Amino acid sequence: MTASHPSGYNTSIPPGASVNFGFSGTSRPGTNGLPTAFTLNGSVCAAA
């Protein structure tokens, strides 16, 4: 996944400010299987 912004939206973040973003996604049955491996910030994650 890559987070991006529309042109001109939150392109400048002043010092001490913060920016939040949300995620909206869809999945069709049968198209997205379980992941075999994934990472977060470069670290490998494991299923519990």
Side-chain angles (χ1 to χ4, degrees):
M1 180 178 107
T2 301
S4 62
H5 60 81
S7 179
Y9 187 75
N10 287 341
T11 57
S12 178
I13 304 167
S18 64
V19 175
N20 296 308
F21 73 94
F23 175 78
S24 179
T26 59
S27 176
R28 289 182 231 153
T31 59
N32 298 313
L34 295 175
T36 56
F38 58 98
T39 63
L40 178 63
N41 295 331
S43 297
V44 176
C45 299

